[in-house]
């Protein structure tokens, strides 16, 4: 499912809008238009509704431009370290730069992480400085504009400060991990940063629903002190921290493991002219769901998995052969050398949306086996020692 659309490119990076962002856009405009001063235009009744909402739309655009500049700063520094930026996506909780092969040197990681908040502080500072400058010299300027100046300035400062919380995977959490990684192994540093991040997420989740203690004490009225929005962000952070932790554990566990250590060489291939019924029986007997398909001369013809034969009707299974249903393979994306890293195999599977690759001898020889996602997952479990 496509959940985001590309709207342009900045310094070569595709900029995408997630559907949750498009959904939140009118809410942000409404907030700028109706929130009371000094952050919103809610108290400028003298303005026409159309003008007020136009200004609010302008403010929303400026705010999202700020988010974008924050992500571009991260990306710019990362690109200078040779990281490929696949895209920047704006979604309901802000921006996200998708980076490939992030450097794992602490010196680089903290610089990439701090670039975003520094940019937000700079933008916020510039707006607030101008705002207070205008206030001090009492320049006559149209009031709604100064409100927006203050609002955008404040939001950027809040954005920078919030991102600097040591809540992994937020920027502050990444800086914390880089700091820890100078003293211990990367994996251990990640585990600790994730633990701090999860703790923050839980606290944030609770704070989001916390009643205002003063209000409760003085009037007995229950009013939420902060915002349930915080709870939503906390849930998102918790999930993101968990995912990043397991991804890091996986990469760290597989480090140095070659395809030949994980590949399956027995019962790895089937002949292209094998009937589907026979293949189904073979899968049952050998408890394998993926095979390389070869010609009788041993050339790779394709890859076949259980999910592809599952779709077939009983008649089709009886009448068809493997060669009838496989699609031609692109050798580059379907084959990997036995001397490659397993992490590389996994990346290719993810990129090609496949659970299997054929394995060849080093230097482009014969197909000698297959490597599957299932084999890799099992290998990780064994290496981790079942913990
Ligand atoms: Zn950031």
């Amino acid at each position: 499912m496509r959940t985001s659309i590309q709207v342009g490119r900045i310094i070569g990076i595709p900029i995408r809008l997630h559907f949750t962002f498009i959904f939140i856009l009118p809410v942000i405009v409404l907030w700028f238009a109706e929130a009371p001063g000094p952050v919103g235009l809610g108290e400028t009744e003298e303005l026409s509704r159309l003008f007020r909402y136009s200004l609010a739309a302008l403010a929303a655009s400026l705010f999202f431009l700020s988010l974008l500049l924050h992500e571009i700063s991260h990306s710019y520094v990362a690109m200078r370290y040779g990281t490929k930026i696949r895209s920047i996506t704006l979604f309901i909780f802000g921006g996200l730069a998708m980076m490939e092969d992030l450097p794992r040197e602490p010196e680089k990681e903290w610089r990439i992480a701090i670039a975003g908040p520094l940019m937000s502080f700079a933008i916020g500072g510039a707006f607030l400085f101008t705002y207070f400058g205008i206030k001090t010299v009492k320049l006559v300027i149209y009031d709604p504009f100064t409100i927006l100046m203050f609002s955008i300035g404040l939001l950027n400062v809040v954005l920078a400060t919030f991102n600097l919380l040591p809540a992994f995977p937020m920027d502050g959490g990444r800086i914390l991990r880089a700091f820890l990684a100078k003293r211990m192994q990367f994996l251990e540093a990640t585990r600790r940063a994730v633990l701090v991040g999860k703790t923050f997420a839980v606290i944030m989740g609770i704070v989001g629903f916390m009643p205002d203690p003063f209000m409760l004490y003085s009037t007995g009225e229950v009013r939420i002190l902060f915002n349930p929005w915080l709870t939503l962000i906390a849930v998102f952070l918790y999930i993101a921290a968990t995912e990043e932790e397991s991804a890091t554990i996986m990469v760290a566990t597989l480090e140095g493991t070659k395809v030949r250590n994980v590949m399956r060489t027995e019962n790895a291939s089937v002949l292209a002219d094998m009937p589907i019924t026979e293949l189904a029986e073979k899968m049952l007997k050998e408890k394998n769901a993926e095979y390389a398909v070869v010609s009788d001369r041993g050339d790779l013809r394709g890859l076949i998995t259980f999910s592809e034969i599952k779709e077939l009707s009983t008649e089709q299974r009886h009448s068809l052969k493997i060669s009838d249903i496989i699609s031609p393979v692109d050798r580059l994306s379907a084959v990997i050398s036995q001397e490659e890293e397993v992490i590389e195999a996994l990346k290719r599977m993810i990129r090609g949306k496949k659970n299997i690759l054929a394995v060849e001898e080093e230097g482009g020889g014969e197909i000698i086996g297959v490597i599957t996602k299932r084999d890799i997952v099992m290998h990780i479990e064994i290496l981790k020692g079942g913990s």
Side-chain angles (χ1 to χ4, degrees):
M1 193 173 71
R2 280 172 68 109
T3 51
S4 62
I5 50 161
Q6 188 176 331
V7 289
R9 268 173 188 276
I10 299 177
I11 54 167
I13 307 165
I15 308 295
R16 308 184 66 89
L17 300 184
H18 193 250
F19 79 94
T20 55
F21 170 82
I22 296 160
F23 171 78
I24 198 79
L25 205 55
V27 181
I28 302 282
V29 175
L30 191 76
W31 183 83
F32 275 116
E34 300 296 339
V39 291
L41 299 167
E43 285 162 18
T44 54
E45 284 100 357
E46 73 278 8
L47 301 179
S48 77
R49 207 185 184 79
L50 179 69
F51 188 54
R52 191 148 57 95
Y53 272 82
S54 309
L55 279 179
L58 173 73
S61 315
L62 281 176
F63 178 57
F64 287 116
L65 195 63
S66 316
L67 284 180
L68 207 54
L69 284 170
H70 176 110
E71 294 308 324
I72 287 171
S73 304
H74 286 307
S75 306
Y76 178 75
V77 179
M79 277 161 85
R80 279 187 36 200
Y81 291 137
T83 297
K84 189 175 179 299
I85 316 293
R86 254 185 291 155
S87 63
I88 291 176
T89 305
L90 291 180
F91 72 122
I92 191 162
F93 298 128
L96 195 67
M98 300 286 287
M99 302 185 184
E100 236 168 58
D101 299 323
L102 258 179
R104 285 170 58 179
E105 296 103 286
E107 284 303 321
K108 291 179 180 174
E109 181 171 36
W110 78 259
R111 285 188 171 87
I112 295 171
I114 207 160
L118 283 184
M119 173 60 97
S120 300
F121 272 131
I123 300 171
F127 273 96
L128 290 180
F129 191 76
T130 317
Y131 170 79
F132 286 112
I134 289 167
K135 285 270 154 180
T136 320
V137 299
K138 292 191 180 62
L139 270 181
V140 186
I141 191 158
Y142 203 40
D143 201 38
F145 285 108
T146 59
I147 290 179
L148 292 187
M149 216 171 266
F150 179 74
S151 196
I152 299 290
L154 190 68
L155 280 172
N156 270 287
V157 171
V158 169
L159 181 72
T161 313
F162 186 71
N163 268 291
L164 283 175
L165 286 178
F168 195 82
M170 287 201 309
D171 300 335
R174 291 185 187 281
I175 296 168
L176 173 69
R177 174 172 69 181
F179 178 75
L180 292 171
K182 284 188 193 176
R183 282 155 193 80
M184 59 189 80
Q185 289 211 318
F186 190 76
L187 186 57
E188 187 52 33
T190 305
R191 284 207 171 110
R192 293 199 190 178
V194 164
L195 187 66
V196 176
K198 284 181 174 175
T199 311
F200 259 95
V202 171
I203 295 170
M204 258 162 66
I206 295 168
V207 165
F209 276 113
M210 199 172 71
D212 185 339
F214 298 106
M215 200 64 142
L216 197 64
Y217 178 74
S218 55
T219 65
E221 194 187 325
V222 177
R223 205 175 72 180
I224 288 169
L225 182 59
F226 291 100
N227 199 320
W229 189 243
L230 212 53
T231 307
L232 277 181
I233 295 180
V235 172
F236 167 75
L237 272 181
Y238 194 93
I239 296 170
T242 310
E243 273 177 9
E244 180 122 2
E245 183 182 29
S246 48
T248 310
I249 290 174
M250 198 177 75
V251 171
T253 313
L254 288 176
E255 193 120 82
T257 309
K258 305 278 186 207
V259 168
R260 67 176 143 79
N261 303 128
V262 184
M263 69 176 181
R264 184 173 91 218
T265 49
E266 271 171 44
N267 303 326
S269 62
V270 288
L271 287 172
D273 56 11
M274 181 186 275
I276 300 292
T277 40
E278 205 176 305
L279 173 68
E281 277 165 28
K282 191 176 161 67
M283 283 179 169
L284 265 177
K285 204 176 89 207
E286 293 171 359
K287 296 184 178 60
N288 282 328
E290 309 91 355
Y291 293 90
V293 182
V294 293
S295 71
D296 43 17
R297 295 212 327 265
D299 303 326
L300 184 70
R301 294 280 308 278
L303 299 163
I304 185 99
T305 64
F306 177 67
S307 59
E308 283 152 292
I309 67 165
K310 192 174 64 178
E311 314 290 317
L312 302 173
S313 68
T314 317
E315 296 93 77
Q316 282 173 320
R317 283 188 203 190
H318 280 282
S319 59
L320 295 174
K321 290 185 296 186
I322 296 175
S323 55
D324 298 325
I325 64 165
I326 51 168
S327 35
V329 282
D330 159 24
R331 232 187 134 79
L332 263 176
S333 63
V335 184
I336 192 159
S337 155
Q338 61 166 337
E339 292 305 318
E340 283 272 12
E341 295 262 335
V342 172
I343 296 166
E344 178 56 32
L346 206 55
K347 271 187 210 160
R348 281 193 211 175
M349 286 182 200
I350 292 166
R351 231 178 281 148
K353 296 190 178 72
K354 273 227 168 337
N355 292 327
I356 178 175
L357 294 177
V359 180
E360 65 181 6
E361 278 182 321
E362 210 190 352
E366 237 180 292
I367 300 299
I368 50 172
V370 293
I371 182 165
T372 66
K373 225 180 240 178
R374 209 157 46 113
D375 297 332
I376 299 175
V377 170
M378 229 156 85
H379 198 79
I380 294 169
E381 290 304 318
I382 293 165
L383 285 180
K384 277 199 302 189
S387 63

